[in-house]
Amino acid sequence: MTILEMCQWLQDTSIGTQIRESVWTFPILEGTHLLMIAISVGTLLTMDLRLAGLLFKRQKVSEVTKAVMPISLFGFTVMFITGVFLFLSQAVKAYGSIYFKLKLFFLLLAGINALVFELTMRRTIHSWDADPVPPFRARLAGISGMILWAGVIAAGRTMAYNF
Amino acid sequence: MDLLPFFKWCDQTALANSVRDSRFIFPIVESIHILALTVLVGSVVVVSLRLLGIGLKTMPVGELSKTLAGLRNASLAVILTTGFVLFASEAVKCYENPPFWIKMKLLFTAILFQYLVFPLVVRTDREPGRLAATATAVVSLGLWFGVGMAGRAIGFY
């Protein structure tokens, strides 16, 4: 089974068909998806700005992270689930869209960026937690995170123009 | 007062024409609009949750709000500017679009609330009372979420 055939199969499942043919489900899913992007990425932004040494300089990095992470993860979870449903309903179109691939690519890079940070800088956080401007690699992770998420959002929005 | 003449005028401006004539301007402006919206909602959510007792508790809410004020004001300025460009390019279409009118009413209420009522509750010189804090957070979140949802609905109508 090729990926395209798999997309066709996904789209033809009863759930994919129901969403596509509904009057309300699709707009509600998409509205929720958008709102959750704003919640998760918007709150993540405060954390990234702290990592970049641009905001909340008097707060510890771990304090800002602890405060913001649960909200961001909640938003991300709902965004991800609604995103999967939206994809299901238009899998073939999404497969053919360069912007959808670009979006997944940015999403993957954002994930790698976060993972690298967790595996390296997070382990030494106690030594720079209170620094107003964190070490270079932490700032880099914060700035990369902001750019990559902006890419995810812009690619996602552009995708819809080619549908 | 009927705003239709104003909408028609917007629709005919050089700005509106150039947006319509280009394949790229509208999507680019809309992406910027949504990115700025993300920044605005993020900063509103962080302050509102703090008002509800969740999040950055080591920081007084007034100070938290002040720290995020720059982000909030700048993102709102970008939202309004890009929003006007998007609106102008399809002003007459918007006139007949119910979600557009809902969005505008919510938007003006949200802005008035954010700049007139919110500062009365969220201050650096004292912590707000439990009830005032909760009400402010709920109204603020409700209004801005409403603006976002109604805005998305414009395209579906």
Side-chain angles (χ1 to χ4, degrees):
Chain A
M1 202 186 218
T2 63
I3 298 178
L4 181 61
E5 282 166 348
M6 206 154 80
C7 289
Q8 185 66 54
W9 178 81
L10 280 173
Q11 190 170 308
D12 292 338
T13 54
S14 68
I15 184 145
T17 309
Q18 270 174 32
I19 295 170
R20 191 172 49 254
E21 291 177 354
S22 68
V23 177
W24 288 104
T25 317
F26 193 86
I28 289 172
L29 277 175
E30 185 146 52
T32 310
H33 189 64
L34 181 69
L35 208 57
M36 288 302 150
I37 289 173
I39 290 175
S40 68
V41 181
T43 51
L44 191 68
L45 179 72
T46 50
M47 206 176 81
D48 282 339
L49 285 169
R50 175 63 185 93
L51 275 182
L54 297 171
L55 218 61
F56 296 109
K57 292 186 189 184
R58 278 184 291 162
Q59 265 58 43
K60 284 184 180 170
V61 172
S62 60
E63 249 172 52
V64 178
T65 309
K66 212 179 105 197
V68 164
M69 249 329 185
I71 312 163
S72 193
L73 283 177
F74 163 77
F76 184 84
T77 309
V78 181
M79 166 176 78
F80 193 82
I81 296 170
T82 51
V84 167
F85 282 123
L86 289 169
F87 169 74
L88 277 183
S89 72
Q90 316 204 319
V92 174
K93 268 190 204 163
Y95 178 73
S97 163
I98 178 77
Y99 295 104
F100 178 70
K101 287 169 190 161
L102 201 59
K103 177 179 178 169
L104 290 187
F105 178 65
F106 280 131
L107 208 50
L108 181 71
L109 289 185
I112 292 173
N113 182 49
L115 189 67
V116 169
F117 177 80
E118 290 298 322
L119 294 178
T120 59
M121 292 312 281
R122 177 79 74 208
R123 298 196 172 164
T124 63
I125 199 167
H126 55 87
S127 63
W128 52 271
D129 205 6
D131 293 1
V133 179
F136 175 73
R137 287 195 53 190
R139 295 206 304 276
L140 185 67
I143 291 166
S144 311
M146 290 188 272
I147 295 171
L148 292 171
W149 276 106
V152 173
I153 294 173
R157 184 63 197 93
T158 310
M159 191 183 140
Y161 288 110
N162 298 282
F163 267 29
Chain B
M1 188 180 65
D2 188 15
L3 287 172
L4 187 57
F6 172 69
F7 279 45
K8 280 185 171 157
W9 176 80
C10 286
D11 213 88
Q12 292 309 317
T13 52
L15 175 75
N17 280 316
S18 51
V19 174
R20 275 192 302 265
D21 286 346
S22 162
R23 267 184 67 196
F24 301 106
I25 298 179
F26 194 92
I28 291 171
V29 174
E30 182 145 45
S31 283
I32 299 170
H33 190 65
I34 290 175
L35 285 173
L37 180 143
T38 303
V39 176
L40 176 71
V41 171
S43 54
V44 168
V45 164
V46 171
V47 177
S48 296
L49 287 179
R50 175 64 183 74
L51 282 170
L52 295 171
I54 307 164
L56 266 176
K57 288 184 203 158
T58 51
M59 203 174 183
V61 68
E63 207 187 310
L64 175 66
S65 177
K66 214 174 111 187
T67 311
L68 291 171
L71 218 53
R72 201 162 52 218
N73 296 337
S75 58
L76 186 60
V78 174
I79 290 175
L80 294 177
T81 313
T82 51
F84 181 77
V85 175
L86 296 171
F87 158 74
S89 77
E90 39 183 41
V92 173
K93 224 195 261 177
C94 287
Y95 188 80
E96 286 155 12
N97 187 301
F100 172 79
W101 291 102
I102 297 172
K103 178 180 180 177
M104 287 306 117
K105 283 167 194 163
L106 285 171
L107 176 65
F108 287 118
T109 315
I111 292 174
L112 289 178
F113 185 82
Q114 192 71 54
Y115 289 94
L116 296 178
V117 183
F118 186 86
L120 297 177
V121 179
V122 181
R123 303 156 61 131
T124 45
D125 55 353
R126 60 176 169 78
E127 283 285 291
R130 193 70 255 143
L131 185 67
T134 309
T136 305
V138 170
V139 173
S140 181
L141 285 175
L143 284 170
W144 287 115
F145 285 180
V147 173
M149 288 297 245
R152 188 62 197 91
I154 293 174
F156 281 120
Y157 189 77

